[in-house]
Amino acid sequence: MKYIDLHCDTLLAAFEKEKTQINVMPEAMIDVERLKKGGAVAQFFAIFMLPEAEKNNSGRMIPEDDVYINKLSGILHNSIQENEKNLAFARNGAQLEENLKNGKISAFLTLEDGRSINGSMEKLERYYDMGVRLISLTWNYANCLGFPNSPDEELMSKGLTAFGKEAVERMEELGMLVDVSHLSDGGFYDVADICKGPFVASHSNCRSLTPHPRNLTDEMIRIVAEKGGVIGLNFAPGFLGKDIHNSDSRVDDMILHLQHLWNKGGEDCLALGSDLDGIGGNLEIGSPDQMPRLFDAMSKAGFSGRMIEKMAYENAARVIHDVMK
């Protein structure tokens, strides 16, 4: 089964392990060798912005934001240069299809936490020019774009900044996907009001099943679906089980979340956003070559072959074609 994964943190894993490529990296959850084995046709590679506190306490020199962004982007491009037979950069749907025709995995570059934009539309456009095609507006801290998810109801209710609203409009004009994973509830509704077309939650699950503020309410699921967007199933234990402190990521719980997404948003909103290399715990699916376990479980749970194809590949591909330029 071919599939598209909307989120991983493998570039961060390579950076932390001082690797220059991700073609073969057994010490990480994902590498190109296992993506090929698992049937991946596209992987979204996030540049995760290290929190300032972690940068200060890491015990080693961490580059400034744009130097760091260029370094992680360079790891991806090094990997492509060294493995042109299997991996190719992609910026839009046409390149996705061309790479698929040539038997290559499409590598999409994303930014997790838009803080480095730093209130500059010029910087946003510069990231577009370097190939970034999705931005998770926030991580777990406020930035120039808006406020993050939080158990604090007051913080959770805060929305996008004035610049954040302008940036979302510009992202849609440019052809960059707006990603609401990690965003506050107030920010989510601002994005929903602003975006004329699809936006995504690249790696989020269902809050009614797992009461974590990173997950989406039923109303949010419906809105993403109505906008033509998709929600990437996150494999993190704390976003899957009934207990947010759970350490087991089970395929059975993934099925429950997919069924709930289907019930509340319809089959066209289903997608994958594994978050591999950004999560820990006891993972029943901890690498791309294990992805068939999910598709087999979906089939046993009553999902049709057509629906599995849509969840695994077609829904995300549609959004890529609809949004990216």
Side-chain angles (χ1 to χ4, degrees):
M1 174 70 69
K2 62 184 180 182
Y3 75 87
I4 295 174
D5 182 0
L6 295 175
H7 188 85
C8 76
D9 287 301
T10 306
L11 297 181
L12 172 64
F15 171 78
E16 291 183 329
K17 299 175 194 307
E18 301 183 345
K19 301 291 184 179
T20 60
Q21 53 79 28
I22 58 170
N23 290 310
V24 181
M25 194 168 57
E27 57 269 67
M29 293 180 181
I30 286 178
D31 59 21
V32 177
E33 188 176 80
R34 282 175 285 170
L35 285 170
K36 195 78 175 177
K37 185 176 180 181
V41 296
Q43 178 66 58
F44 282 52
F45 290 97
I47 297 175
F48 170 68
M49 301 305 298
L50 291 167
E52 295 293 341
E54 292 185 20
K55 286 172 65 175
N56 294 336
N57 297 326
S58 65
R60 63 188 177 96
M61 185 66 67
I62 302 294
E64 293 302 312
D65 282 354
D66 281 333
V67 175
Y68 170 81
I69 287 170
N70 288 335
K71 187 170 184 66
L72 268 66
S73 174
I75 292 171
L76 182 57
H77 285 288
N78 287 343
S79 305
I80 292 168
Q81 187 174 2
E82 294 179 16
N83 196 357
E84 292 181 342
K85 180 181 178 181
N86 292 313
L87 190 66
F89 201 72
R91 295 175 175 84
N92 53 46
Q95 292 180 352
L96 169 68
E97 298 305 325
E98 180 68 16
N99 294 338
L100 178 60
K101 184 174 70 174
N102 293 328
K104 298 181 181 182
I105 300 165
S106 287
F108 287 92
L109 186 63
T110 79
L111 189 61
E112 186 173 18
D113 188 352
R115 74 150 190 263
S116 62
I117 295 169
N118 200 26
S120 168
M121 206 65 74
E122 180 182 349
K123 287 193 71 175
L124 174 64
E125 293 168 358
R126 192 187 315 158
Y127 295 147
Y128 174 83
D129 290 340
M130 71 181 286
V132 173
R133 287 298 181 270
L134 176 151
I135 297 179
S136 304
L137 300 183
T138 63
W139 190 60
N140 292 343
Y141 302 97
N143 62 23
C144 64
L145 300 174
F147 294 85
N149 75 97
S150 173
D152 182 332
E153 291 185 8
E154 182 180 355
L155 183 60
M156 191 67 142
S157 68
K158 293 183 177 181
L160 301 181
T161 64
F163 173 76
K165 293 176 181 179
E166 294 176 5
V168 166
E169 290 180 348
R170 185 60 180 141
M171 287 173 65
E172 195 166 40
E173 291 170 358
L174 288 168
M176 299 174 81
L177 271 170
V178 178
D179 179 16
V180 298
S181 286
H182 287 285
L183 194 60
S184 66
D185 287 1
F188 175 95
Y189 288 109
D190 282 342
V191 168
D193 287 341
I194 294 166
C195 284
K196 299 179 179 65
F199 63 93
V200 304
S202 68
H203 54 304
S204 294
N205 297 335
C206 308
R207 200 180 299 177
S208 66
L209 299 185
T210 306
H212 196 292
R214 271 278 284 104
N215 286 339
L216 303 180
T217 66
D218 291 353
E219 182 180 43
M220 291 174 177
I221 293 167
R222 177 183 57 78
I223 290 171
V224 172
E226 288 178 350
K227 287 284 187 176
V230 293
I231 299 161
L233 178 73
N234 192 316
F235 294 2
F239 306 149
L240 282 173
K242 293 180 180 179
D243 179 2
I244 64 173
H245 304 294
N246 165 54
S247 61
D248 296 320
S249 172
R250 303 186 316 129
V251 172
D252 286 350
D253 289 327
M254 295 179 192
I255 295 299
L256 293 176
H257 280 267
L258 287 171
Q259 289 171 330
H260 193 83
L261 289 171
W262 174 23
N263 289 334
K264 300 301 178 182
E267 63 188 52
D268 291 339
C269 78
L270 304 178
L272 285 168
S274 71
D275 208 359
L276 291 177
D277 282 314
I279 59 176
N282 305 313
L283 309 181
E284 286 191 348
I285 300 177
S287 66
D289 53 313
Q290 297 170 344
M291 202 68 75
R293 295 178 184 176
L294 176 59
F295 308 139
D296 290 344
M298 290 180 69
S299 180
K300 291 175 182 176
F303 288 85
S304 68
R306 175 69 180 141
M307 194 180 298
I308 297 170
E309 289 177 347
K310 294 178 77 170
M311 186 281 297
Y313 169 78
E314 291 186 13
N315 291 338
R318 168 181 49 80
V319 172
I320 290 168
H321 279 282
D322 287 349
V323 175
M324 294 185 188
K325 300 175 184 176

